[in-house]
């Protein structure tokens, strides 16, 4: 899977991260062979730094996720809670698969619960913190979307271990995207266009996520892109868009969801461009809220294209499945979604 630059509530990915557990005796310190057979193991994969499409994007050396886990003292799930994992980092290595440092085992007569966050806590970036309580409520503060991280959470079904003879069946995490996935492109029709500046303003690039064990996730304390900053800005100088071609401006963009009010109020594409023969830039400012796309939901993908001709500039868009890719050049969206 190619890495990219920089995401339907409750949507689950069509793949799972499997945790391979074996039962173990209540008393720690089994003999070496038995301990190895009963160790909590992780099969399958973690996640890449950019948007995750399928399981093939997971098994990458160096990738990691964090796991929280606990058990209660009876199979009803109530009683004293004992921690098993506290943001334990699980890392993929070539040849050995997924592993972690602090080995844990199953104990009989317990009910286990496990929760996971991608990426691992230490991969969230400086200034970002993440916690998860014993019920599976996540809190991520200071999340910076400009790092291009596919933020996801998962909660495994509670698991009862009744005896040391219980089979070591895998426990699966079904990860849910907590960001919206976006792409922005420019297409030239009947002309050649040179884009000299391209920026998305008025959208949230940093915020805090509250993801309760039950109920809907929510974002707070948003910070938005604005004129004068370098966020969501085309880099690398001028870009020439030949007649009939479509060129991506920002690559793969992952941002927190936006409500209808947030998108309608501030979100805009600002672009400076020239047509062949122009001596000065033409300026365009186009709002991102459309008749079809009134908000951005987590787990959904939105493609925007500015189509430039000699006499006009129009915005076209499409709402797509998370893993749907375009057939045009460099992430250029097709134009079946609508126009402004």
């Amino acid at each position: 899977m190619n890495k990219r630059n920089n995401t339907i509530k409750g949507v689950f990915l069509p793949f799972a991260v499997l945790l391979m557990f074996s039962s173990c005796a209540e008393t720690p310190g089994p003999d070496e062979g038995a301990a190895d057979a009963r160790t909590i193991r992780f099969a399958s994969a973690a996640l890449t730094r950019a948007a995750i499409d399928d399981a093939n994007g997971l098994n990458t050396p160096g990738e990691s996720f964090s796991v929280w886990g606990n058990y209660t003292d009876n199979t009803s799930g109530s009683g004293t809670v004992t921690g098993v994992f506290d943001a334990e980092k699980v890392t993929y290595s070539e040849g050995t698969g997924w592993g972690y440092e602090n080995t844990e085992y199953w104990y009989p007569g317990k009910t286990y619960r496990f929760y996971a966050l991608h990426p691992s806590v230490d991969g969230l970036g400086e200034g970002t913190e993440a916690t998860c309580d014993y019920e599976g409520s996540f809190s991520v503060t200071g999340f910076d979307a400009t790092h291009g991280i596919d933020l996801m959470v998962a909660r495994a079904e509670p698991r009862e271990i009744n005896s040391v003879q219980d089979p070591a069946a895998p426990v699966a995490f079904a990860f849910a995207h907590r960001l919206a996935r976006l792409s922005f492109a420019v297409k030239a029709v009947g002309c050649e266009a040179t884009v000299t500046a391209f920026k998305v303003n008025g959208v949230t690039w940093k915020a805090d996520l509250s993801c309760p064990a039950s109920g809907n996730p929510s974002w707070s304390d948003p910070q938005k892109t604005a004129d004068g900053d370098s966020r969501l800005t085309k880099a690398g100088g001028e870009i020439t868009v030949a007649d009939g071609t479509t060129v991506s401006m920002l690559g793969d963009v992952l941002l927190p969801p936006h409500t209808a009010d947030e998108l309608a109020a501030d979100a805009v594409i600002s672009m400076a461009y020239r047509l062949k023969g122009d001596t000065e830039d033409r300026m365009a400012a186009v709002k991102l809220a459309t008749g079809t796309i009134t908000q951005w939901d987590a787990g959904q993908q939105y493609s925007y294209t500015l189509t430039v001709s000699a006499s006009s500039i129009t915005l076209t868009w499409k709402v797509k499945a998370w893993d749907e890719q375009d057939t045009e050049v460099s992430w250029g969206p097709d134009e079946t979604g609508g126009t402004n």
Side-chain angles (χ1 to χ4, degrees):
M1 175 181 174
N2 292 331
K3 291 201 173 185
R4 309 182 183 96
N5 295 337
N6 248 24
T7 302
I8 295 80
K9 298 176 181 177
V11 173
F12 293 99
L13 293 184
F15 57 84
V17 175
L18 301 180
L19 292 81
M20 189 71 75
F21 298 102
S22 298
S23 62
C24 79
E26 177 79 31
T27 303
D31 64 77
E32 184 175 348
D36 183 67
R38 297 194 295 264
T39 301
I40 294 176
R41 288 188 173 84
F42 296 78
S44 191
L47 320 154
T48 67
R49 191 169 176 274
I52 308 303
D53 290 334
D54 54 39
N56 292 330
L58 302 181
N59 295 309
T60 305
E63 292 298 334
S64 61
F65 59 94
S66 291
V67 173
W68 288 258
N70 62 73
Y71 63 75
T72 48
D73 288 331
N74 56 58
T75 56
S76 68
S78 61
T80 302
V81 177
T82 300
V84 179
F85 293 117
D86 183 12
E88 184 72 27
K89 184 177 181 179
V90 182
T91 304
Y92 187 86
S93 298
E94 190 69 46
T96 59
W98 295 98
Y100 60 98
E101 292 186 357
N102 302 306
T103 303
E104 294 288 349
Y105 307 91
W106 285 111
Y107 289 93
K110 311 296 183 184
T111 298
Y112 284 77
R113 291 168 175 80
F114 295 93
Y115 318 108
L117 173 75
H118 172 266
S120 57
V121 172
D122 64 357
L124 289 170
E126 185 177 355
T128 302
E129 298 180 355
T131 60
C132 180
D133 68 17
Y134 73 96
E135 294 181 326
S137 293
F138 289 90
S139 176
V140 182
T141 58
F143 179 76
D144 184 346
T146 63
H147 291 316
I149 295 169
D150 189 358
L151 185 66
M152 299 192 288
V153 300
R155 301 176 181 91
E157 290 294 321
R159 179 82 173 276
E160 295 182 4
I161 301 299
N162 295 313
S163 73
V164 294
Q165 284 76 39
D166 279 356
V171 176
F173 280 136
F175 278 91
H177 295 290
R178 294 275 56 98
L179 301 177
R181 185 177 188 177
L182 302 109
S183 62
F184 303 92
V186 173
K187 182 174 184 177
V189 176
C191 63
E192 179 182 280
T194 299
V195 179
T196 58
F198 189 99
K199 192 175 189 321
V200 178
N201 276 334
V203 299
T204 298
W205 66 273
K206 187 176 185 179
D208 300 337
L209 170 65
S210 175
C211 196
S214 60
N216 294 324
S218 62
W219 291 82
S220 60
D221 196 21
Q223 298 184 38
K224 297 186 177 183
T225 56
D227 284 336
D229 68 37
S230 60
R231 302 178 184 95
L232 296 186
T233 300
K234 176 195 69 63
E238 299 180 348
I239 297 177
T240 298
V241 184
D243 182 16
T245 66
T246 305
V247 177
S248 171
M249 293 292 109
L250 302 177
D252 211 5
V253 178
L254 303 174
L255 294 177
H258 284 57
T259 66
D261 288 343
E262 289 171 331
L263 206 58
D266 303 308
V268 62
I269 297 173
S270 296
M271 184 174 76
Y273 68 102
R274 295 190 303 271
L275 300 184
K276 196 169 185 177
D278 285 350
T279 57
E280 296 183 355
D281 284 349
R282 306 185 186 202
M283 308 300 296
V286 183
K287 283 188 169 290
L288 288 170
T290 72
T292 301
I293 303 177
T294 59
Q295 63 187 47
W296 293 339
D297 292 323
Q300 193 77 317
Q301 182 177 181
Y302 305 91
S303 290
Y304 293 93
T305 301
L306 285 175
T307 300
V308 177
S309 70
S311 60
S312 66
I313 182 168
T314 59
L315 178 68
T316 61
W317 62 85
K318 186 180 180 183
V319 182
K320 304 186 294 186
W322 179 272
D323 59 352
E324 181 180 345
Q325 296 192 21
D326 294 299
T327 57
E328 295 188 40
V329 174
S330 187
W331 281 80
D334 64 41
E335 301 177 9
T336 59
T339 62
N340 261 4

